[in-house]
């Protein structure tokens, strides 16, 4: 089953040379960084194995990787069960998104960052890696080889808990040396994005410096730095290898973090709605889909969106 799915993806790649080159580049990077390893014939299969199908996903709006290879842990095997069916998900250990955003809004000076390749920085026990096997070859003429992923894989049921619980462990370890930074690491991260701040530039800079040091000690490098103060970004500097290490934003530029878009210079949140004037007909499902596309966790648009919800309710009552 895994083989047939791979061959289907391979045929798709053969029809699109640009997509194929990006796919190969992604997989080569995975191998070079040690996030997957080639299997040898003598590998032990006594504890069981599972092969993950994989396919490309294009994210044209992404500032970093435009193409990502998604490893599908929800795909059913020959037993009609997926890897996700047998994994425990673990509890939620980070704060609610609304709490993080509301806390972020009260600071005079704010700073945001992102953990680079967060899931892939966290290793899986070697005894469990055979449950993250994949099939891969760059060209159809090459031999089809087996590999296994060595790190936490995005899309697996346990991925979120494994990653966020690492932050909790780091926070606990630094609780006595720097309780303020420990608290920020524990409460201001939502997955790989952090939104935090302070009421003075000096305090915000100090917290940023020590937070970076603590996360770097666990091989969790931070990037995509941004602040509403250029003074806070000066000590961070730039990385010649990574043009997105620190974001240089103009007065009209839009920054997106935790699903929200905004203009930092103007201190404004922005919402973008796509209007389709050529739509031939509207249905309740299409209207509901349009409504759910608008991400508004703090309820800024509630006075407007409530009208759409009432309209949908009326349609159901009228049985239209």
């Amino acid at each position: 089953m895994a083989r047939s799915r791979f061959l289907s993806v391979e045929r798709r790649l053969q029809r699109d040379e640009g997509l194929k080159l990006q796919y190969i580049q992604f997989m080569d990077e995975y191998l070079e960084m040690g996030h997957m390893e080639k299997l040898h014939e003598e590998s032990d299969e006594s504890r069981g194995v599972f092969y993950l199908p994989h396919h490309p996903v294009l994210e044209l709006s992404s500032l970093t990787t435009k193409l990502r290879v998604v490893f599908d842990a929800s795909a059913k095997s020959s037993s009609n069960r997926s890897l996700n069916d047998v994994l425990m998900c673990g509890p939620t250990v980070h704060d609610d998104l609304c709490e993080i955003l509301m806390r972020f809004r009260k600071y005079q000076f704010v700073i945001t960052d992102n953990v680079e390749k967060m899931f892939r920085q966290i290793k899986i026990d070697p005894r469990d890696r055979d449950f993250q096997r994949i099939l891969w070859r760059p060209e159809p003429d090459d031999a089809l080889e087996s590999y296994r992923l060595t790190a936490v894989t995005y899309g697996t049921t346990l991925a979120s808990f494994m990653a966020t619980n690492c932050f909790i462990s780091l926070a606990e370890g630094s609780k006595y040396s720097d309780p303020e930074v420990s608290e920020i690491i524990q409460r201001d991260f939502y997955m790989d994005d952090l939104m935090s701040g302070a009421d003075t530039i000096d305090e915000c800079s100090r917290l940023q410096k020590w937070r970076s040091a603590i996360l770097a000690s666990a091989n969790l490098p931070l990037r995509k730095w941004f602040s509403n103060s250029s003074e806070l970004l000066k000590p961070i500097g730039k990385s010649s290898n990574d043009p997105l290490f620190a974001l240089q934003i103009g007065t009209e530029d839009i920054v997106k973090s935790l699903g929200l878009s905004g203009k930092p210079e103007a201190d404004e949140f922005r919402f973008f709605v796509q209007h389709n004037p050529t739509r031939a007909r509207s249905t309740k499902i299409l209207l509901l889909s349009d409504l759910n596309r608008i991400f508004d966790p703090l309820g800024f648009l509630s006075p407007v969106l409530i009208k759409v919800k009432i309209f949908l309710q009326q349609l159901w009552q009228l049985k239209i």
Side-chain angles (χ1 to χ4, degrees):
M1 189 174 291
R3 181 185 176 89
S4 63
R5 288 172 176 164
F6 172 77
L7 294 177
S8 175
V9 171
E10 187 175 62
R11 287 192 292 270
R12 178 185 172 187
L13 297 179
Q14 291 302 114
R15 296 193 297 267
D16 189 332
E17 188 64 25
L19 184 67
K20 175 184 172 182
L21 290 174
Q22 291 184 70
Y23 208 96
I24 293 174
Q25 183 180 9
F26 188 100
M27 298 299 273
D28 284 347
E29 181 193 70
Y30 234 85
L31 189 59
E32 289 168 7
M33 297 186 72
H35 299 153
M36 75 178 185
E37 57 190 9
K38 189 174 180 179
L39 281 173
H40 301 289
E41 292 182 3
E42 64 271 14
S43 60
D44 181 18
E45 298 185 3
S46 60
R47 297 183 71 245
V49 300
F50 190 90
Y51 279 86
L52 298 171
H54 49 90
H55 60 271
V57 172
L58 289 170
E59 300 179 33
L60 299 179
S61 61
S62 173
L63 290 174
T64 51
T65 308
K66 300 298 182 184
L67 178 137
R68 297 181 188 277
V69 175
V70 173
F71 303 99
D72 188 3
S74 295
K76 301 294 184 180
S77 67
S78 56
S79 65
N80 202 35
R81 302 183 78 187
S82 69
L83 180 61
N84 280 344
D85 288 338
V86 297
L87 289 176
M88 297 181 69
C89 64
T92 300
V93 295
H94 53 61
D95 280 2
D96 180 74
L97 177 60
C98 288
E99 290 182 41
I100 294 173
L101 292 172
M102 291 176 70
R103 196 161 49 234
F104 177 74
R105 294 292 293 155
K106 74 178 184 178
Y107 297 120
Q108 179 69 27
F109 299 99
V110 297
I111 193 162
T112 69
D113 53 57
N114 173 275
V115 179
E116 183 180 4
K117 298 179 176 63
M118 179 179 71
F119 292 125
R120 290 162 56 180
Q121 310 290 2
I122 303 165
K123 293 294 184 182
I124 291 288
D125 191 308
R127 295 171 296 177
D128 297 325
R129 292 174 184 174
D130 282 317
F131 294 100
Q132 293 192 154
R133 288 193 182 187
I134 66 167
L135 295 172
W136 170 242
R137 62 184 175 191
E139 297 291 345
D141 295 335
D142 297 336
L144 192 56
E145 303 280 1
S146 291
Y147 295 81
R148 60 182 187 177
L149 309 181
T150 64
V152 170
T153 301
Y154 179 76
T156 53
T157 299
L158 52 71
S160 296
F161 171 74
M162 294 281 283
T164 52
N165 200 51
C166 285
F167 293 135
I168 301 301
S169 298
L170 283 172
E172 288 294 324
S174 59
K175 183 165 58 176
Y176 299 106
S177 60
D178 198 324
E180 285 185 275
V181 174
S182 171
E183 186 177 9
I184 287 173
I185 293 174
Q186 188 163 351
R187 71 177 191 176
D188 287 347
F189 266 106
Y190 192 86
M191 297 307 294
D192 58 345
D193 288 312
L194 179 133
M195 301 181 76
S196 189
D199 291 326
T200 67
I201 289 179
D202 289 343
E203 179 64 8
C204 195
S205 181
R206 184 189 73 82
L207 294 174
Q208 174 270 324
K209 178 181 177 181
W210 284 106
R211 182 173 71 246
S212 297
I214 291 172
L215 291 170
S217 69
N219 195 31
L220 293 169
L222 297 173
R223 69 194 297 256
K224 293 172 70 173
W225 291 96
F226 181 73
S227 173
N228 61 345
S229 169
S230 58
E231 290 185 50
L232 281 171
L233 294 177
K234 286 179 182 178
I236 296 173
K238 297 181 181 180
S239 171
S240 58
N241 299 324
D242 185 359
L244 298 176
F245 180 72
L247 302 181
Q248 304 300 318
I249 305 298
T251 56
E252 296 301 317
D253 290 324
I254 302 292
V255 174
K256 189 172 183 179
S257 186
L258 292 183
L260 286 177
S261 299
K263 293 179 69 173
E265 290 286 336
D267 195 24
E268 297 173 350
F269 282 112
R270 292 295 178 97
F271 295 88
F272 299 92
V273 179
Q274 292 184 345
H275 178 55
N276 185 5
T278 61
R279 181 182 288 172
R281 58 194 292 266
S282 290
T283 65
K284 293 191 289 291
I285 289 178
L286 287 175
L287 290 172
L288 187 61
S289 176
D290 290 341
L291 179 65
N292 289 336
R293 278 199 195 98
I294 302 173
F295 183 64
D296 181 27
L298 294 179
F300 291 130
L301 301 183
S302 292
V304 177
L305 299 182
I306 191 65
K307 293 185 177 183
V308 185
K309 294 177 181 179
I310 293 173
F311 178 59
L312 276 167
Q313 189 179 53
Q314 292 171 337
L315 291 177
W316 279 104
Q317 290 172 340
L318 295 170
K319 298 181 179 180
I320 295 176

